[in-house]
Amino acid sequence: MHLSVLLAAAPSPEPGGSLDEAAEQAGNAAGWVEENWSTWLSTGLRILLIVAVAVTLRYLIRRALTNLIDRMNRSAQAVEGTALGGLLVNAERRRQRSEAIGSVLRSVASFMIMGTAVLMVLGAFKINLAPLLASAGVAGVALGFGARNLVTDFLSGVFMILEDQYGVGDTIDAGVASGEVIEVGLRVTKLRGDNGEIWYVRNGEVKRIGNLSQGWSTAGVDVTVRPTEKLEHVREAITAAAETMTKEEPWSERLWGPVEVLGLDAVLLDSMTVRVTAKTMPGKAIGVERELRWRIKQALDDAGIRMIGAVPLQMEAESSADPTAAMAAPSAYASATSPQSLAATPIPPPATNLNK
């Protein structure tokens, strides 16, 4: 009885109310979608177009840079195969330089293209980019202060490679170290020292670079002879030795100019110095100097011209020396009757009378 009373007192449900609400919500959703579907479609198409253009442009630029580098390496190898190419082109140096430049250019191109694409996508979503750019700027400044040495090394390495200041195989003087370059990197350069040690030089620490392998070198030899020698005979002997050297291998290849006798570099009481120079292949000056000294010494010996230091002067004058030159001068004290001897004779003591 109680259950029937409760059922009678409860309000009867209205089946049409829930259906109307659902239909109204569905209508509102459909209307909202209908109002915004064009915006969504245009935004999606814009983002898709931005991504497609960025990916395509990045692929084309990277491929163009790769083809350009490969073409540079092929041209360097073709020139190296010729007789003159071995003197002018270092294939390993050209390859490393082109690969380093290509890596930098590809990284810069990818960063610029993809970074611009990301900003355009965010802009398509109506996102305010001002706070994001400000935060990125602050983070970039903090990173720059924290890693300024790394940034300095990287930028210095990029400009060294772009300007072709040195390359693999060059002999350089970098101030902090010197030797032959065995590897060029964007941050560190490896040098092989004279004793075989390897120096790792940070590019940011290099303040000045002296490249001893570019252009040409100068070989200089000083010939010191006695001042009594005839200059024309000395010149003729040196010129004959130099002409013979220029006609023989491998010196004919290493000498890039005639051997010149510049003249007297110094004139002293006991010697005179003749200066001899020659333009040589880069890095070959020391070997040319040694060979020039060897040949000039032989030519002067054949011509009877003696160099200072070859034969001691004491040996030359030994036969004509005065035999009495080493004898001491006679002394006045040698004669007992000389006034000097009498003056130096001690006075005898007075005689005493013993009888007293």
Side-chain angles (χ1 to χ4, degrees):
M1 180 176 181
H2 296 285
L3 181 59
S4 60
V5 173
L6 293 174
L7 291 175
S12 58
E14 297 180 359
S18 58
L19 294 177
D20 293 340
E21 291 178 359
E24 182 179 0
Q25 293 176 359
N28 293 334
W32 183 73
V33 171
E34 184 178 1
E35 291 177 359
N36 296 286
W37 75 270
S38 59
T39 304
W40 294 347
L41 181 60
S42 62
T43 302
L45 292 176
R46 185 183 303 174
I47 294 173
L48 183 62
L49 180 62
I50 291 173
V51 173
V53 171
V55 172
T56 304
L57 186 61
R58 177 178 177 271
Y59 171 77
L60 293 176
I61 291 179
R62 289 176 65 90
R63 184 170 182 179
L65 292 174
T66 302
N67 293 336
L68 179 61
I69 293 171
D70 293 340
R71 189 180 299 110
M72 292 172 59
N73 292 333
R74 287 196 300 268
S75 62
Q77 294 175 359
V79 174
E80 188 183 18
T82 62
L84 186 61
L87 300 177
L88 302 179
V89 177
N90 187 325
E92 181 64 18
R93 168 181 176 175
R94 188 75 172 268
R95 184 188 63 82
Q96 288 198 8
R97 178 170 175 260
S98 59
E99 287 183 357
I101 295 176
S103 176
V104 172
L105 293 179
R106 283 193 293 265
S107 299
V108 171
S110 299
F111 178 78
M112 293 182 62
I113 293 173
M114 302 309 295
T116 304
V118 170
L119 293 179
M120 294 178 66
V121 168
L122 294 178
F125 281 114
K126 307 299 182 181
I127 296 177
N128 188 11
L129 299 179
L132 180 62
L133 294 177
S135 301
V138 173
V141 172
L143 181 63
F145 277 108
R148 58 184 180 274
N149 291 332
L150 181 62
V151 175
T152 302
D153 296 340
F154 179 80
L155 293 179
S156 299
V158 170
F159 283 106
M160 287 178 181
I161 294 174
L162 290 177
E163 296 173 359
D164 194 18
Q165 298 179 6
Y166 55 83
V168 175
D170 288 352
T171 302
I172 66 171
D173 181 1
V176 293
S178 61
E180 181 182 355
V181 180
I182 60 177
E183 184 177 345
V184 180
L186 294 177
R187 194 181 69 86
V188 175
T189 298
K190 290 183 182 180
L191 302 178
R192 174 78 67 179
D194 296 335
N195 297 325
E197 68 276 9
I198 296 180
W199 297 98
Y200 294 85
V201 181
R202 287 173 42 199
N203 295 329
E205 293 182 349
V206 179
K207 303 303 180 183
R208 51 93 174 164
I209 296 175
N211 196 322
L212 307 179
S213 300
Q214 288 184 353
W216 45 268
S217 300
T218 301
V221 176
D222 292 332
V223 182
T224 305
V225 296
R226 295 181 302 180
T228 57
E229 301 291 345
K230 293 184 179 181
L231 293 176
E232 290 300 328
H233 293 172
V234 175
R235 183 191 296 271
E236 291 175 0
I238 295 175
T239 303
E243 290 179 354
T244 305
M245 180 177 174
T246 55
K247 297 177 182 179
E248 297 179 0
E249 295 292 339
W251 311 111
S252 59
E253 179 181 342
R254 298 180 183 178
L255 286 170
W256 284 11
V259 179
E260 299 179 358
V261 181
L262 299 183
L264 286 176
D265 192 64
V267 178
L268 303 176
L269 293 176
D270 57 348
S271 65
M272 60 181 180
T273 303
V274 180
R275 181 70 174 174
V276 181
T277 62
K279 185 180 294 186
T280 69
M281 182 188 301
K284 303 298 182 180
I286 296 178
V288 173
E289 289 176 356
R290 292 171 179 171
E291 185 66 19
L292 267 177
R293 292 190 187 97
W294 184 285
R295 293 175 180 266
I296 290 174
K297 176 64 171 61
Q298 288 182 337
L300 293 180
D301 289 343
D302 295 340
I305 301 173
R306 294 183 178 180
M307 301 176 63
I308 294 297
V311 179
L313 296 178
Q314 290 80 0
M315 294 179 61
E316 297 180 8
E318 184 176 359
S319 58
S320 60
D322 186 4
T324 62
M327 297 175 60
S331 176
Y333 295 97
S335 177
T337 59
S338 64
Q340 290 82 359
S341 296
L342 295 176
T345 301
I347 301 174
T352 58
N353 191 352
L354 297 177
N355 297 327
K356 294 183 180 180

